Amino acid sequence: MTPPLERLKTALADRYRVERELGAGGMATVYLAHDLRHERDVAIKVLHPDLGAVLGADRFLTEIKTTARLQHPHILPLLDSGAADGLLYYVMPFVNGETLRTKLERETQLAIPEAIRIAVEVADALEHAHRQGVVHRDIKPENILLQDGHALVADFGIALAVQQAGGQRMTQTGLSLGTPQYMSPEQASGERVVDARSDIYALAAVTFEMLTGAPPFTGASVQAIMARVMTSEPEPLTRVRKTVPQAVEAAVFQALAKLPADRFASAREFATALRQDTSAVNTPQLSAPNRKSRKGVLVCVSLAMLATAAASWAAARATAGSGTDSRPSRQRVVLWNTAVPVATSPGAQFISTQMALSPDGETIVFADSTSAGWSLFRKRRAEQDAVPIVGTDGGRSPFFSPDGRWIGYFSSDATLSKIAVEGGTSIRLVTGATNRFYYAGAWLSDNTIVFTAGDSGGVRRISASGGVSNALNVPREWNGQLPHIEALPGGKGLLIVACESNCSLKVDAFFYDLVKDSLTLAIPDVAGAWYHEQSGLVLTTPRDGGLFAGTFDAKRGVLTGDLKPIIDRVAPGQFAMSATGDVLYSLTRSGDAKRELVWVDRGGKATPVDSSWREWFEYPAVAPKDGRIGVSVRGAATVLWLREADGSRTPVRAVGNIAWRPTWSPNGERMLFVGSMPKPAPVGRTNAIFESDAAARALPTKLRDYGPSTGALWEAEVCDNGALAFRTDDPVGLSNIYATLPGDTTTLTVASGPAQDIQLALSPDCRTIAFMSNASGRANVYIVDFPYARTRRLVSRDGGEEPRWSKDGRTLYYVGNGTLMQVPMGTDPLRTMGEPTSLFRLDGYARARNRPQYDVSPDGRFLMIKEPPAPAVPPVVYVQNWIPELLAKVKQ
């Protein structure tokens, strides 16, 4: 099928010279073009073909004419519209500026006068449109353009035209009109008839984001955001930013009212309220969201416990010399120079928090990357700037000793060390302490440290003075994947947040009884858990963000009260708490990051596979003959999709809720993938190898569920004759590659030993297998004869990983130092092999440590995953004297 850009160029050649793509959104792709008749640059928006097919040209073009009459200084006008070669399009002036979204990503928060001015200009535009009977329905930072500092609202009436033209067929496509973070409650609930007050709500949400750095409600999924829009109350502006005038806060919160009748009657009224003197309106009292409460005696007991906890905390805080002012104090702090990752993909591979708060709440220690690499920094509350802690090169995931005098941390060279808060010589405690992704440690009151010991060591305990470490009795399937460890009072128990399968789906908090050496599930589905002794509360962050709290029995490791929502936008796992009750947390960024599948030619030029399909893609695989694509999409579950050559897409049926890492047989008749299977607690699932039918309709067949030593399965490839190659993580923590022959249950060893042997790739003739191994001390690509592995040859010369064969088997590709490399192969690669040469850099494309993130098509192009733009540095909030407010929220 001809790409949309080429179709558009051909169809509009007599009127516009279409030059290039500017960007893509949920409904349309934008192209830069030159208006040949009027000698001016314009922007042409083309509805995605699937959407255009549903709508139909005649009805859509009839409805869109209603927007052409809007003439206002702050409205981007509609110049033209039409249908070209089946593509529906409309034309607007090209604005040589930026969107409000781009400005927010760069600056996070705007100056208050600037934010109010932009909001007022957008309100003026809305007032004009509403008087003409046009409701925008999709006000968001992406639709607000900034030219010479002034606002221009784009896409006026487009959403209405789409809905009116599409009718009931819109719901059949799965498309949503509006953007969840800015949808009014009535729009989020699916009401088709919305009026001007819905636009006022959306503008208030944008104003909220301009002032605070994030919209009122966020979440990991559309459903989570919509639920919060309809049921939760936003955090007061002045809690996040004290300098926001009371009148502005009052205006924004009235415009964000759940009921349209409670909002301003017009956009003009909202603009007038925003411009009022700060003394004209008092800050509104926010109503608490409806929450389920426990019944009977337990309610009385919990309230009594909370009241006692509040009094105990107040007394402890006073004893600590916190002063007479016990009101919460909030401030934004700048820690990181770069965007410290919360996870490498949505809901996956959580890392330990990179910030720690001293027991007295006065000192923040955090890890950040510098030009020389990672290091620890110290920032005292009374000081404006953070200073590097000398001697902590490579330092990450810091944690304090109970007396606040020492900092424990991990290094990039796989060591556990400690250093005095005041500085000095770093003392190495353990070598080989952890693996590349998961760093977690806790300093207990008995002066021992519990820490993640890495792939081969599980979880261990060592004296803070050094010496021999002892292993804790934790499941082998955790394999060192612990995002967080929390010491409970008395040094007798721990909260361990752990996962499996690279934290790809489920993360839970477990209670470890150090006296009984036993493990039980404490809190399911959380990416972090922190206990505050004086209040008796446990604080948790779920996978999709936010902060929850509930009463917790630290001796038995069980919740004694419901977890209640406390703060909406806390990033998963990114929270720290002092013994005095001060807290530090990182906020999530707005918007959902999406990857894009692209074809890349041998010169490095990328072309979208399908510009209307953007998800969190992983592990693409191209069929050897007909161009079909298998690719995983990660979200609440990891779903495998099959994309046909004509662009149609079908989800592959799976047994569990993980289906990923597809691979094709050389003849294209079989597609294998890794899926999940139930397994007894405390580890709930394990992996198996499945085979799907060519049409992806039947329930897949399980080929194998364990390695030879019951190790979990992670990769597999198959020959046309049924010979199978697969990779497991064996009990000792090493990754090994094995093979089975057709009709034979004997397991053959392809690559094993004291090394990580991963990323297997069978040649098309199934006589040779390539893989990555770190047996030499660094990652390199090797080939051996398959299946007996009698001869091994080194392929890469200066490090390498992610090998992939061309479909004809004449070339082996791999990634070396961020570059795609190629090696010509003879008919017998073990005897005849060329020298590696480079093709192009892989900056901006997805990479993986355990399975290649690209594939090679039959015509020699590369199917790759383009990463979304790097997120801005996450905002961090520091709150002092927080516990009384927390207790009040838990009692509600």
Side-chain angles (χ1 to χ4, degrees), residues 156-168:
F156 245 109
I158 301 305
L160 174 63
V162 170
Q163 186 178 53
Q164 293 293 340
Q168 291 296 326

Side-chain angles (χ1 to χ4, degrees), residues 180-181 201 215-219 225 228-229 232-234 258 568-569:
Q181 291 90 337
Y201 179 98
F217 305 106
T218 59
I225 297 170
R228 291 174 179 172
V229 166
S232 300
E233 295 292 341
K258 301 298 183 190
D568 275 341
R569 302 188 303 276

Side-chain angles (χ1 to χ4, degrees), residues 772-850:
M772 186 275 277
S773 176
N774 62 3
S776 66
R778 68 174 304 182
N780 268 301
V781 174
Y782 297 85
I783 57 172
V784 299
D785 58 292
F786 182 79
Y788 299 106
R790 292 162 295 201
T791 304
R792 176 185 291 208
R793 286 197 63 183
L794 175 68
V795 176
S796 54
R797 296 294 184 266
D798 187 26
E801 53 188 329
E802 297 189 59
R804 285 288 203 192
W805 293 89
S806 61
K807 298 305 185 197
D808 61 7
R810 302 301 300 272
T811 306
L812 182 66
Y813 301 95
Y814 70 90
V815 177
N817 297 318
T819 300
L820 187 65
M821 308 293 291
Q822 62 176 355
V823 182
M825 295 287 179
T827 54
D828 184 355
L830 291 168
R831 295 178 179 272
T832 308
M833 181 194 311
E835 289 295 316
T837 57
S838 62
L839 286 176
F840 53 85
R841 293 285 301 171
L842 293 171
D843 302 323
Y845 293 109
R847 300 285 304 281
R849 68 184 178 114
N850 43 27

Side-chain angles (χ1 to χ4, degrees), residues 675-802:
S676 63
M677 293 179 56
K679 189 178 179 182
V683 177
R685 309 203 70 81
T686 188
N687 292 341
I689 303 299
F690 294 89
E691 178 181 355
S692 175
D693 69 299
R697 292 191 178 92
L699 196 65
T701 302
K702 184 179 69 175
L703 298 183
R704 191 178 184 105
D705 52 8
Y706 290 106
S709 56
T710 69
L713 297 172
W714 294 102
E715 298 179 85
E717 297 207 356
V718 68
C719 302
D720 289 339
N721 65 1
L724 183 69
F726 57 91
R727 190 258 294 182
T728 76
D729 287 347
D730 287 324
V732 293
L734 303 177
S735 297
N736 299 322
I737 300 173
Y738 301 96
T740 56
L741 299 180
D744 191 344
T745 59
T746 303
T747 300
L748 304 174
T749 300
V750 176
S752 68
Q756 298 292 325
D757 300 313
I758 61 176
Q759 301 175 355
L760 59 94
L762 275 172
S763 62
D765 62 7
C766 278
R767 295 170 54 191
T768 310
I769 186 169
F771 59 93
M772 186 275 277
S773 176
N774 62 3
S776 66
R778 68 174 304 182
N780 268 301
V781 174
Y782 297 85
I783 57 172
V784 299
D785 58 292
F786 182 79
Y788 299 106
R790 292 162 295 201
T791 304
R792 176 185 291 208
R793 286 197 63 183
L794 175 68
V795 176
S796 54
R797 296 294 184 266
D798 187 26
E801 53 188 329
E802 297 189 59

Side-chain angles (χ1 to χ4, degrees), residues 524-537:
D525 300 317
V526 293
W530 299 262
Y531 181 72
H532 184 248
E533 183 175 6
Q534 282 76 27
S535 67
L537 295 176

Side-chain angles (χ1 to χ4, degrees), residues 303-381:
L303 292 178
M305 289 173 61
L306 289 172
T308 303
S312 299
W313 178 88
R317 188 68 173 173
T319 302
S322 61
T324 58
D325 187 0
S326 61
R327 292 174 300 176
S329 172
R330 284 174 169 79
Q331 65 184 89
R332 293 290 182 101
V333 293
V334 177
L335 298 185
W336 297 300
N337 294 317
T338 56
V340 176
V342 175
T344 58
S345 64
Q349 292 183 327
F350 295 99
I351 65 171
S352 177
T353 177
Q354 297 303 315
M355 58 190 181
L357 197 55
S358 63
D360 62 4
E362 296 295 312
T363 303
I364 300 169
V365 171
F366 63 97
D368 196 8
S369 60
T370 67
S371 58
W374 283 77
S375 182
L376 296 185
F377 289 76
R378 182 184 66 236
K379 184 182 187 301
R380 300 194 190 280
R381 187 170 63 88

Side-chain angles (χ1 to χ4, degrees), residues 204 208-209 211-212 214-218 228 232-241 244 249 252-253 256 258 283-284 286-287 289 291 328-332 546-547 566-570 583 585-588 877-879 882 885 889:
F208 189 104
E209 182 172 4
L211 294 170
T212 67
F217 305 106
T218 59
R228 291 174 179 172
S232 300
E233 295 292 341
E235 189 174 4
L237 290 168
T238 50
R239 288 185 185 175
V240 181
R241 190 173 181 181
V244 174
E249 182 176 64
V252 169
F253 274 87
L256 288 173
K258 301 298 183 190
T283 303
L286 300 179
S287 59
R291 296 172 177 143
S329 172
R330 284 174 169 79
Q331 65 184 89
R332 293 290 182 101
L547 185 71
I566 304 300
I567 304 175
D568 275 341
R569 302 188 303 276
V570 176
V583 296
Y585 57 88
S586 178
L587 296 174
T588 56
V877 179
Y878 173 66
V879 189
W882 186 55
E885 179 184 287
K889 288 187 175 183

